[in-house]
Each structure stands twice: as structure tokens, then as C-alpha cells.
Amino acid sequence: MNRTQFFEDADGGYTSFSHPKHFTKTWNKVRAFEESIGKTLDDGYTSEEYIALFNFALARCSSTFYNDKKVVVFYIRYLIARGALPAEHETILAGITADDLSIKGGTDRIRYFKNLNHLREAIEDTVKAADRVDETMYDVPSAVLYLAWYGLTEEQVLTLPKTAVLEDGIILNGQKIEMPYFLTDLLVRLRDAEGFNTKGRGIIFRKYMYSDYLIRTEDSHQVSVFQMRASLSRMDKVMDHTYSLRFDTARQSGIFYRAYMLECENNNFDLSDPEFAANVFCEDFTQKQNKADPGKRLRERIRDYTLYKQLFS
């Protein structure tokens, strides 16, 4: 069967998938994997090869894995219905769960940061590789990532006042969060900075707009969520997104790291208790969120945490 037929077929083909944009996003990862092993889905995969595909797709969250799996199953069913593959391939896929994933396999790209030093290495490698005349030009996105690691939400990061930055940590909601020197050095430097140098027609000094907030730019005294994410994306692009320098990756890694440290020290570590899990994962599992069942979200988060813990095995 010609693969083009699937994308042109209005009866059961690509256009019949419920979320075409999501299909395209997953399909790009599928094609990259196919090229890496020299074998396509049309040739028929073993269970191990399907698992390798999902690992390659950077399934950091179990919900992402199941969304990617829906795309693959949809395409495999199309092939089966047209006699291009035997029906056993749907059975093979049905037997693959998030428990089969490996955080260490499939690609060199980062899924989670194992610890703070791991995040630090990623940030410092990126800054060193960037085309810049002043390393402090990346202080804003770097600070955002570090604060995310310590569990701050996007809103808390963007509204953190300069006065909350101390020589040995920050004050958040009246509580002090102690931080290592290398990090507080960066935060204090950003707090007191007037701007940074960039290259243009010569060296140009970009002056930060006056602001009471730590996170600001030369154009904004208070950065929006969109601006913050765009800044992180530009920084992540320096190393071709190898390090996954994203807010949610840094924040979830920090939350899971502290959960793992607590589990190692606490004999009463019980994630089946929604209230305990909410405190550990900094997430409310008692209320519905975007129509998602809270119990399902808790089970997914536990699976994600189990995946993260593979970094320590």
C-alpha cells in the first residue's frame, strides 16, 4: 500500500483522525524514528521496536505516551483493514503500557533533570554555546528555569519582586527557600543588573525597563507567560532542544527530585493518599481539572514519577 493513500483517503485515513494537528506532531516523531532504524511502520514492528518508538518520541508524561499511541494504533488499524499488516500488530500495541517505557532509551535528549546539578550543566552548556558577547544576557531565562525547579508556578516566577531575592535564597509567601551560592549569585546579579550587552553594529547595551519584578526585559517591566515561554524556547534552540529547557520540564523535575528524596527518608511515603500526594506533587488531586478525573490524574502522575525514578537505577 502506498502511504500517500492514507493521507488522501477521506474514508478512514488521516482526515478521519479526531485531532489532525496532534496526529501531525506525533507523525513527525514517527518518521524520524523510522529513518533512524531504516524500517517503517508499514514493514511491521516487533513489540520491542514499538517500545523503542515510544521511547524515541520522548514520552516524559504517561498522558503524552497514550496520545502518541493513539496515533500509531490509528495508522496500524488502517494498514490492517487494507490487508497491509496482520491483525496481530494491534494486539502487540494493546499490550504496551507506560510501564514499558524507559527514560534512558531512544535518544540523547533530556526528559527529566535528575538533580539541580544536571539542570545547571544544561543551562551553563547552553550559555557557553550561544553566540553572545555577554553571558548575562541569558540571566532572565536561566533564573526562570532555576525558580521553576524549586516549584514556583509561572505566575509566582513572573511576579517575584526583587526584594524577595536574598543573599542565600528567596522569600516566597512569607517562607524562606534556601538555595546554593551559585544560584543566589545569579539571582542577586539579575536583581541588581541594569541591562546586558548584545552584538549589533558594534556592542549595544540593552537596558532593562525599570521594574519592581525580578523577571523583566528591556521592553517589559512585567513579562507575560507568552514572553517567558518564547525566551525559554530561544534559549533551548541554541542546543537544538537537546536539553528540553522548558518551564514544565524543570519544575516537574524539581518536584519529582524532592519527592524521591522524601521517599528515601520516609517510611510512611504513601502516594495512594490523595492529600499526601497533593503535598508531594504540588498538585490538587481532589478537584476535577479540565474535566479530567482527579483519580486518573493522580495515577498518571505516579506513573510519571516512577519513570523519573529510573534515573536513579
Side-chain angles (χ1 to χ4, degrees):
M1 188 195 81
N2 189 325
R3 181 171 281 188
T4 304
Q5 178 183 336
F6 169 78
F7 287 94
E8 295 178 349
D9 191 351
D11 182 19
Y14 164 74
T15 56
S16 300
F17 192 76
S18 55
H19 300 287
K21 287 185 178 180
H22 176 70
F23 185 98
T24 300
K25 182 178 180 180
T26 298
W27 192 250
N28 288 336
K29 293 184 283 188
V30 169
R31 291 188 61 187
F33 177 75
E34 290 177 334
E35 292 176 6
S36 72
I37 68 169
K39 184 178 180 180
T40 71
L41 287 174
D42 305 56
D43 299 322
Y45 282 2
T46 64
S47 177
E48 291 75 17
E49 286 171 330
Y50 282 123
I51 292 171
L53 165 61
F54 294 125
N55 284 331
F56 182 90
L58 286 176
R60 183 173 61 85
C61 302
S62 55
S63 57
T64 303
F65 158 71
Y66 287 112
N67 286 334
D68 287 342
K69 183 179 175 181
K70 286 178 183 178
V71 170
V72 175
V73 168
F74 185 83
Y75 182 68
I76 293 302
R77 283 176 176 169
Y78 184 87
L79 295 180
I80 292 172
R82 284 148 185 81
L85 278 181
E88 66 186 44
H89 281 276
E90 184 172 357
T91 304
I92 293 172
L93 278 168
I96 298 173
T97 70
D99 294 333
D100 296 309
L101 298 179
S102 171
I103 201 168
K104 299 177 180 179
T107 177
D108 292 331
R109 293 177 64 185
I110 299 297
R111 288 172 170 82
Y112 289 108
F113 298 104
K114 181 177 180 178
N115 50 40
L116 182 58
N117 280 336
H118 190 193
L119 175 59
R120 180 185 182 183
E121 290 172 3
I123 291 174
E124 291 183 352
D125 283 354
T126 300
V127 173
K128 289 176 183 177
D131 181 19
R132 82 280 187 274
V133 294
D134 185 351
E135 66 177 18
T136 66
M137 70 178 292
Y138 285 102
D139 278 1
V140 168
S142 296
V144 167
L145 290 168
Y146 284 128
L147 292 171
W149 168 272
Y150 278 92
L152 277 71
T153 64
E154 289 178 320
E155 180 181 0
Q156 288 172 330
V157 169
L158 297 178
T159 57
L160 188 71
K162 292 178 182 177
T163 54
V165 177
L166 309 176
E167 299 294 327
D168 56 352
I170 64 170
I171 297 296
L172 182 70
N173 297 328
Q175 300 294 317
K176 184 177 180 180
I177 301 176
E178 294 187 352
M179 298 175 174
Y181 173 76
F182 83 87
L183 176 49
T184 56
D185 185 51
L186 181 147
L187 296 179
V188 169
R189 182 174 70 197
L190 177 58
R191 179 195 68 190
D192 299 337
E194 294 185 3
F196 56 89
N197 291 313
T198 60
K199 287 193 300 185
R201 293 181 178 179
I203 305 300
I204 300 174
F205 183 72
R206 300 288 187 183
K207 185 178 178 63
Y208 287 130
M209 184 173 287
Y210 175 80
S211 175
D212 292 328
Y213 299 113
L214 177 67
I215 305 303
R216 74 277 189 201
T217 68
E218 63 271 30
D219 300 315
S220 303
H221 78 281
Q222 184 174 13
V223 176
S224 68
V225 171
F226 176 81
Q227 290 172 317
M228 180 199 71
R229 292 177 181 175
S231 175
L232 293 177
S233 180
R234 288 192 297 271
M235 184 178 183
D236 196 27
K237 190 175 181 181
V238 171
M239 298 292 283
D240 195 27
H241 305 287
T242 297
Y243 284 129
S244 299
L245 296 178
R246 297 172 47 181
F247 190 95
D248 57 346
T249 304
R251 185 171 187 268
Q252 200 65 66
S253 296
I255 289 172
F256 283 167
Y257 173 78
R258 289 183 290 278
Y260 181 69
M261 293 296 102
L262 180 63
E263 182 177 8
C264 291
E265 300 168 358
N266 191 340
N267 293 327
N268 297 317
F269 191 84
D270 182 15
L271 292 177
S272 64
D273 178 354
E275 186 174 345
F276 178 81
N279 290 328
V280 171
F281 292 144
C282 304
E283 189 172 347
D284 185 1
F285 296 108
T286 62
Q287 301 293 325
K288 282 190 175 183
Q289 191 176 84
N290 297 325
K291 298 182 179 180
D293 174 66
K296 180 181 178 181
R297 286 194 293 110
L298 175 55
R299 291 190 295 273
E300 288 180 349
R301 195 64 70 240
I302 292 174
R303 283 196 294 265
D304 298 343
Y305 173 58
T306 301
L307 189 64
Y308 164 82
K309 289 195 294 182
Q310 291 181 14
L311 292 173
F312 295 89
S313 62

